[in-house]
């Protein structure tokens, strides 16, 4: 499920067999994957195929999940783009939005006083006020003088409106608080 389990795999194409063998050895010494993670990855890379008993249910569940993710992505993108001093490019892939936030000078100065990068300051204030955790953009080597955060659209579809409302209310208050300072 959506970030509830962790697993991974690596596929090597067009590698010399001796190089592939060395990479396999190097990666294998650091792996201690749990059983449920191994099963999950196996199911992910080999889903039921048409004609198998479970294929119809699998296809129905995948479509429902995919459609729900699309609804949530569009809803979050539209909401972010409608917030004061926030712009959000279309969300195409992954499970993240990476909006740009135009921080008022007062917020940049308050961040400096707090000893934090400005977008970290925004993220910490958001977390403190709402419980919503975002990742500050400064960890992604953003262009100097620009501010961002990364957020996800994984909350359940029925909770997205509540999350968006909390984010919108926080953002409006934050922008007002620091606009005149």
């Amino acid at each position: 499920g959506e970030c509830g389990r962790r697993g991974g795999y690596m596929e090597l194409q067009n590698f010399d067999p001796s190089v592939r063998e060395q990479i396999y050895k190097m990666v294998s010494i650091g792996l201690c994957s749990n059983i449920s993670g191994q099963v999950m990855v196996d199911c992910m890379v080999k889903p039921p195929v048409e004609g198998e008993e479970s294929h119809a249910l699998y296809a129905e569940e995948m479509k429902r999940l995919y459609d729900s993710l699309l609804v949530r992505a569009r809803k979050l993108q539209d909401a972010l783009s409608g917030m004061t001093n926030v712009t959000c490019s279309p969300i195409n892939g992954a499970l993240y939005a990476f909006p740009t936030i135009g921080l008022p000078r007062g917020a940049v100065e308050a961040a400096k006083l707090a000893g934090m990068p400005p977008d970290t300051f925004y993220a910490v204030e958001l977390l403190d006020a709402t419980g919503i955790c975002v990742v500050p953009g400064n960890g992604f080597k953003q262009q100097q003088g620009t501010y961002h955060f990364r957020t996800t659209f994984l909350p359940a579809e029925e909770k997205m409106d509540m999350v968006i409302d909390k984010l919108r209310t926080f953002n409006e208050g934050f922008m007002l608080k620091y606009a005149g300072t």
Side-chain angles (χ1 to χ4, degrees):
E2 305 163 320
C3 286
R5 299 193 190 281
R6 300 287 180 176
Y9 72 99
M10 178 172 57
E11 182 177 1
L12 302 173
Q13 294 288 329
N14 300 320
F15 275 74
D16 182 272
S18 63
V19 172
R20 187 176 332 141
E21 183 179 332
Q22 294 305 312
I23 291 172
Y24 181 75
K25 280 187 218 175
M26 184 179 70
V27 170
S28 295
I29 62 171
L31 296 179
C32 293
S33 181
N34 59 35
I35 297 297
S36 63
Q38 292 177 43
V39 170
M40 179 204 58
V41 170
D42 187 60
C43 290
M44 180 187 74
V45 298
K46 294 187 291 185
V49 294
E50 198 165 337
E52 291 182 352
E53 187 177 332
S54 60
H55 180 264
L57 177 60
Y58 166 78
E60 176 188 322
E61 289 176 348
M62 285 297 294
K63 181 176 179 358
R64 187 172 48 244
L65 177 59
Y66 181 79
D67 290 347
S68 176
L69 289 170
L70 280 177
V71 165
R72 290 181 266 171
R74 288 185 185 123
K75 189 177 278 196
L76 181 61
Q77 176 190 321
D78 291 346
L80 288 167
S81 294
M83 291 180 197
T84 302
N85 295 342
V86 179
T87 57
C88 185
S89 297
I91 300 171
N92 296 315
L95 298 172
Y96 302 107
F98 201 69
T100 300
I101 46 176
L103 295 176
R105 182 172 306 176
V108 174
E109 291 170 6
K112 187 182 248 184
L113 287 172
M116 295 182 219
D119 43 10
T120 298
F121 182 73
Y122 182 93
V124 168
E125 294 255 329
L126 174 64
L127 180 62
D128 287 345
T130 67
I132 296 172
C133 183
V134 299
V135 180
N138 62 69
F140 297 95
K141 300 187 191 256
Q142 63 195 359
Q143 185 178 6
Q144 185 71 23
T146 64
Y147 308 110
H148 306 81
F149 63 85
R150 185 184 76 181
T151 189
T152 183
F153 50 90
L154 285 177
E157 193 172 337
E158 62 273 6
K159 293 184 179 179
M160 280 303 290
D161 288 334
M162 176 199 62
V163 172
I164 288 169
D165 287 343
K166 282 182 167 184
L167 181 57
R168 181 182 294 114
T169 300
F170 166 79
N171 185 72
E172 297 306 311
F174 183 92
M175 295 301 169
L176 282 171
K177 178 179 179 180
Y178 293 105
T181 58

